[in-house]
Amino acid sequence: MTYLSKAWAWLKGLVSRITGRFPFLKRKLVYIPLGLVLLVVIGYAAFAKPAEPAFETAVVARQDIVKLVSETGTITPAEEVDLSFTGTGRISRVYVTEGQEIRAGQLIATLESTRQYADLLSARARLKQAEATAGSGTRTRAQTEAQQDQLVENAERELRSGDLAAYLIEGGAEGTSSDFSAPIVSGTYRCSREGTYRIELYPSKARSGGSFRLSGLETTGPQTVSTVGPVPLGTCGLYVQFPTDFAKSRSVVWEIPVPNVRSGTYQSRKNAYDAAVENRRLALEETERSPLLNAQVEEARAAVLSAESAFADTRLVAPFTGTITKVDAVRGDIASIGTPAASLISAEAFEIKLSVLEDDIGDVNVGDMTDVTFDAYDGAHMEARVSFIPPSATNESGAASFEVTLQFTAPDERIRAGLSVDADIRAAEATGVIAIPTRSVIEENGVRYVRVMISETAYRKVPVATGLSGSGMIEVREGLAEGDRIITFANEEALAGLTEEE
């Protein structure tokens, strides 16, 4: 019996045993699907090609790397409060409705306040009476002090601004043939510093033929000489106008002392100022001669403040501009301290809250720029900045995370509270560094390597020191140079065809 005959006999016996165990296989229709499966197996075995080696390389180059920390967050109002009365009483009126936009300081609701208002009017009347009795009481002292301060200020301004003049100090000599007509100084000196302005006049291509620089009390850049009208001399209220015969062909320097101690009227102005200061001192001493009456005025003033506070407790006002999201106050109900009467969210200031895992929080810093994507607006992008990182983590489902706050860099009418966003925080950047695909780095026994091609058929494992990674790339700080050709991916078949050299 030949080998084929023996195989055929063995196969018929096998079929007989199988059909004896599973009778349904004797049906002819069963062989159709079995035959199709057999054909597929035979076809795959006949035509399938063995896996080809996969092998990819890249040339090392410099580029920029950005490490992104990507999280999903929710937009919340930067300010959101539940408002309640600071006093108790029956609600007399509610001025707002849900969804209404209101301004800071706008009235939201009030309590019955007849008694509190009457107490306030009575306290104000008692204060007026105490002030009238005191004569030189606290309010009169304030008026006297303001009046005397004004007199001193006027005398001081007159001292510093009176008879201001320019004196030639370089480029000529006063009272000689090389003298030049001085510029005219006008205006009122309103600054507190005393000293000297220095005007350096020099020829230029200006229409007037000259320009000047200012230094000393104030410093400015070049200014054009004007003989038509005065031009500002710094920012303290003085002006200067040059005569038509000013020195156009040479450089000269003028000085303007403030106050003008060279003026013949300086001493009289100084005496007037000293007298104003002394008169102020005497006038204020006079107002202190009735301490008992002054104390009564202070007591009456405190009573007014207390009455004003009690009246304010009956009024609920908006602390900032925003939108009313809920109204709990009902006219006629009794309001109690701490019970919410209305809820308010800010109208324009919004922020993003997102949870950053502890593995990434070390890379995130206040000020990091963030690209924000809105699903609600077909992936629209906006820019935000990290504004707050909490000092401690929260624990959610066993994972520590930090609730980071982002603030939008510009307002946008599409921003709404409650919208979800995808935020990519630019946590770190490296510019112009050697960078390679992350998958090209292999790690063995705690050491990182890169396979560098040394020929078309050989490579060497080179240890590398890595840095920042992001977007599928990683920085290489040591071990590689620009132009090196590295293996970025190779399967076992490809590596088997290469030689690894030491």
Side-chain angles (χ1 to χ4, degrees):
M1 180 180 293
T2 64
Y3 176 78
L4 288 177
S5 299
K6 291 181 179 179
W8 176 250
W10 176 84
L11 182 60
K12 286 176 64 177
L14 177 62
V15 171
S16 177
R17 288 193 298 273
I18 293 175
T19 54
R21 185 174 180 83
F22 303 100
F24 69 91
L25 291 176
K26 295 180 179 180
R27 301 174 184 175
K28 294 182 178 180
L29 292 177
V30 173
Y31 291 97
I32 296 176
L34 290 178
L36 292 175
V37 172
L38 183 60
L39 288 175
V40 170
V41 173
I42 294 173
Y44 179 81
F47 296 101
K49 294 181 179 180
E52 295 182 358
F55 182 67
E56 297 177 8
T57 63
V59 177
V60 175
R62 293 186 179 272
Q63 56 184 289
D64 300 340
I65 297 180
V66 178
K67 179 177 178 58
L68 298 179
V69 175
S70 301
E71 298 290 347
T72 298
T74 303
I75 297 178
T76 61
E79 295 179 287
E80 182 174 10
V81 294
D82 291 329
L83 303 173
S84 59
F85 286 99
T86 53
T88 59
R90 190 176 300 277
I91 298 174
S92 63
R93 189 170 178 182
V94 179
Y95 295 87
V96 297
T97 58
E98 291 186 7
Q100 180 178 341
E101 296 182 358
I102 61 175
R103 301 181 304 277
Q106 186 171 334
L107 202 59
I108 294 176
T110 57
L111 303 179
E112 293 179 352
S113 57
T114 304
R115 177 179 56 80
Q116 290 86 347
Y117 187 60
D119 291 344
L120 176 58
L121 293 179
S122 178
R124 288 174 175 172
R126 289 194 297 272
L127 174 60
K128 289 183 179 180
Q129 183 179 7
E131 289 175 341
T133 302
S136 60
T138 303
R139 182 165 181 166
T140 301
R141 173 184 168 82
Q143 293 174 340
T144 301
E145 188 171 9
Q147 180 186 32
Q148 293 298 320
D149 285 346
Q150 186 62 55
L151 292 174
V152 171
E153 182 180 343
N154 292 343
E156 186 176 21
R157 184 178 298 121
E158 181 65 23
L159 171 65
R160 291 173 177 165
S161 303
D163 286 347
L164 291 181
Y167 298 95
L168 185 65
I169 63 168
E170 291 183 20
E174 291 181 315
T176 68
S177 58
S178 60
D179 188 10
F180 302 100
S181 298
I184 300 172
V185 183
S186 59
T188 300
Y189 186 76
R190 301 186 182 279
C191 295
S192 59
R193 284 198 311 152
E194 295 183 356
T196 301
Y197 281 109
R198 181 183 175 92
I199 299 176
E200 181 183 351
L201 179 66
Y202 60 92
S204 71
K205 294 183 180 180
R207 177 175 296 182
S208 62
S211 298
F212 69 93
R213 299 184 185 89
L214 184 66
S215 59
L217 276 173
E218 295 183 77
T219 302
T220 65
Q223 293 180 254
T224 300
V225 168
S226 174
T227 60
V228 178
V231 295
L233 187 70
T235 60
C236 290
L238 296 183
Y239 295 84
V240 64
Q241 179 177 345
F242 287 84
T244 56
D245 61 342
F246 73 93
K248 297 182 180 180
S249 60
R250 60 190 301 178
S251 297
V252 296
V253 179
W254 304 86
E255 281 190 350
I256 303 173
V258 179
N260 188 2
V261 295
R262 299 174 62 176
S263 168
T265 62
Y266 169 75
Q267 192 58 50
S268 61
R269 297 177 192 277
K270 180 66 166 60
N271 293 340
Y273 169 72
D274 292 340
V277 173
E278 178 63 15
N279 289 338
R280 178 185 183 278
R281 185 185 67 80
L282 295 175
L284 293 182
E285 283 184 358
E286 182 67 24
T287 63
E288 298 296 338
R289 294 179 181 177
S290 302
L292 178 59
L293 296 179
N294 289 340
Q296 292 175 350
V297 171
E298 292 296 337
E299 184 179 357
R301 190 181 301 279
V304 169
L305 293 176
S306 178
E308 288 176 341
S309 177
F311 181 67
D313 288 343
T314 67
R315 300 163 65 83
L316 183 63
V317 298
F320 51 82
T321 299
T323 302
I324 296 292
T325 58
K326 188 178 181 182
V327 177
D328 296 306
V330 178
R331 181 179 180 182
D333 284 357
I334 300 297
S336 58
I337 299 175
T339 301
S343 299
L344 177 67
I345 64 172
S346 56
E348 297 180 354
F350 292 93
E351 57 191 20
I352 301 171
K353 300 287 188 180
L354 50 86
S355 294
V356 176
L357 295 177
E358 61 178 332
D359 292 342
D360 294 323
I361 197 65
D363 296 320
V364 179
N365 297 285
V366 172
D368 285 347
M369 299 305 299
T370 306
D371 180 59
V372 180
T373 307
F374 288 75
D375 292 336
Y377 301 118
D378 296 328
H381 291 260
M382 295 184 192
E383 193 176 64
R385 180 183 288 106
V386 176
S387 61
F388 177 71
I389 301 173
S392 58
T394 57
N395 216 303
E396 298 179 4
S397 302
S401 63
F402 294 78
E403 189 178 57
V404 174
T405 302
L406 310 178
Q407 286 187 339
F408 290 97
T409 58
D412 193 295
E413 61 182 8
R414 294 174 295 177
I415 300 174
R416 294 287 185 271
L419 291 179
S420 61
V421 297
D422 294 325
D424 291 332
I425 302 174
R426 299 173 67 92
E429 297 184 43
T431 304
V433 298
I434 292 179
I436 61 176
T438 305
R439 67 176 183 174
S440 60
V441 179
I442 55 177
E443 187 168 341
E444 295 178 356
N445 300 323
V447 180
R448 291 187 168 187
Y449 296 91
V450 173
R451 291 172 294 203
V452 179
M453 298 294 295
I454 57 177
S455 70
E456 291 300 320
T457 59
Y459 69 91
R460 177 185 295 117
K461 286 183 180 179
V462 177
V464 293
T466 58
L468 183 67
S469 63
S471 303
M473 304 295 289
I474 188 168
E475 175 189 3
V476 176
R477 295 175 177 174
E478 295 180 6
L480 293 180
E482 290 183 76
D484 287 346
R485 184 179 170 214
I486 63 172
I487 299 174
T488 59
F489 174 76
N491 59 13
E492 293 182 0
E493 290 80 4
L495 288 178
L498 300 175
T499 301
E500 179 183 351
E501 296 192 2
E502 296 297 330

